[in-house]
Amino acid sequence: MSRLNYQTARFLTSAPTLAACPPDSGSEVAFAGRSNAGKSSAINALTRQKALARTSKTPGRTQLINFFALGEESERRLVDLPGYGFAKVPEQVKLEWQRHLSDYLQRRASLRGLVLVMDVRHPLTEFDQTLLGWADDKAMPVHILLTKADKLKRGAAASALQQVRSRLREWEDLVSIQLFSSLKGQGIEEVHARLDAWLLD
Ligand SMILES: Nc1nc2c(ncn2[C@@H]2O[C@H](COP(=O)(O)OP(=O)(O)O)[C@@H](O)[C@H]2O)c(=O)[nH]1
Ligand SMILES: [Mg+2]
């Protein structure tokens, strides 16, 4: 059982830039990942809500930083960051989003940790690695979800996990990694435990 009740998550606000984010007090955990990796589905699974974070088959729709509050107060938050890595967007727009993302990660004082969502079949894209570099610069802990684990057989999923672990061995103080499936509800308790540790610290 998690200590915080993630089912109480509710939409708080959306912000296009760091300046428009809600007050930087309390604590929050941000979810990042390539478009279509399964980030919105993971947030919905973790909060046991069907449509809290919108899921879409069209990548790149979510361009805003979306804030969800746990419980009545707004002092503990989950944050859905804009997805990255989609093709159909002009380079200029991509760069702009990357700047907002980097601003947020570098400057947000209430940020306690980053959940990095990767498709277990396509882990560690170039921008995933860029993000890990930014997190490392700030000594920001990262918890990696290798999601869509249901798409692989058990042995293949386990070996994907081992491979990502070994590639990130030099960062093992800051980075933890697990398998996850929003579809099957696999790995939810493990994420809740990590979120509890960050948000209740
Ligand atoms: N099989 C399977 N499909 C998933 C899982 N998570 C997400 N998807 C699918 O992957 C697509 C992208 O998911 P979405 O959550 O919108 O990705 P986002 O762009 O990262 O927010 C959707 O069609 C989802 O239904 C999962 O754990 N298993
Ligand atoms: Mg999404």
Side-chain angles (χ1 to χ4, degrees), residues 84 116 118 123-135 167-168 171:
Y84 47 81
L116 180 50
M118 303 175 184
L124 294 171
T125 63
E126 197 181 332
F127 199 70
D128 290 335
Q129 298 180 57
T130 302
L131 261 190
L132 283 168
W134 290 346
R167 283 181 63 188
L168 296 180
W171 282 331

Side-chain angles (χ1 to χ4, degrees), residues 92-110:
Q92 193 56 41
V93 176
K94 264 191 224 175
L95 291 175
E96 184 83 340
W97 290 352
Q98 287 190 16
R99 196 168 56 75
H100 291 314
L101 206 59
S102 133
D103 256 21
Y104 169 83
L105 292 178
Q106 310 285 338
R107 304 213 199 128
R108 188 80 172 160
S110 52

Side-chain angles (χ1 to χ4, degrees), residues 69-85:
L70 297 176
E72 286 302 301
E73 292 168 41
S74 310
E75 287 306 282
R76 294 197 180 90
R77 299 172 298 272
L78 304 179
V79 183
D80 190 5
L81 296 173
Y84 47 81

Side-chain angles (χ1 to χ4, degrees), residues 23-41:
D24 195 2
S25 64
S27 43
E28 64 194 32
V29 172
F31 289 69
R34 184 199 167 115
S35 286
N36 224 33
K39 191 159 51 77
S40 299
S41 302

Side-chain angles (χ1 to χ4, degrees), residues 12-188:
L12 193 59
T13 189
S14 293
T17 63
L18 187 67
C21 288
D24 195 2
S25 64
S27 43
E28 64 194 32
V29 172
F31 289 69
R34 184 199 167 115
S35 286
N36 224 33
K39 191 159 51 77
S40 299
S41 302
I43 293 172
N44 290 341
L46 292 166
T47 57
R48 301 194 194 282
Q49 297 186 33
K50 285 211 165 70
L52 182 65
R54 259 174 281 164
T55 56
S56 160
K57 290 198 191 291
T58 314
R61 283 271 174 76
T62 334
Q63 308 172 18
L64 298 167
I65 306 174
N66 295 306
F67 291 83
F68 305 99
L70 297 176
E72 286 302 301
E73 292 168 41
S74 310
E75 287 306 282
R76 294 197 180 90
R77 299 172 298 272
L78 304 179
V79 183
D80 190 5
L81 296 173
Y84 47 81
F86 36 86
K88 285 183 192 146
V89 159
E91 191 60 24
Q92 193 56 41
V93 176
K94 264 191 224 175
L95 291 175
E96 184 83 340
W97 290 352
Q98 287 190 16
R99 196 168 56 75
H100 291 314
L101 206 59
S102 133
D103 256 21
Y104 169 83
L105 292 178
Q106 310 285 338
R107 304 213 199 128
R108 188 80 172 160
S110 52
L111 183 62
R112 296 285 173 270
L114 198 61
V115 176
L116 180 50
V117 179
M118 303 175 184
D119 186 322
V120 68
R121 299 163 301 171
H122 314 286
L124 294 171
T125 63
E126 197 181 332
F127 199 70
D128 290 335
Q129 298 180 57
T130 302
L131 261 190
L132 283 168
W134 290 346
D136 188 47
D137 288 344
K138 288 272 306 180
M140 176 68 63
V142 180
H143 187 64
I144 295 178
L145 305 188
L146 297 177
T147 194
K148 308 194 190 182
D150 58 276
K151 296 261 195 188
L152 296 179
K153 294 200 171 122
R154 195 188 288 258
S159 99
L161 176 64
Q162 280 322 112
Q163 272 179 39
V164 173
R165 277 222 172 101
S166 75
R167 283 181 63 188
L168 296 180
R169 187 145 294 143
E170 59 177 314
W171 282 331
E172 67 191 353
D173 292 348
L174 275 182
V175 177
S176 48
I177 311 167
Q178 67 163 97
L179 293 170
F180 191 81
S181 166
S182 302
L183 190 72
K184 302 281 184 196
Q186 178 190 348
I188 289 177

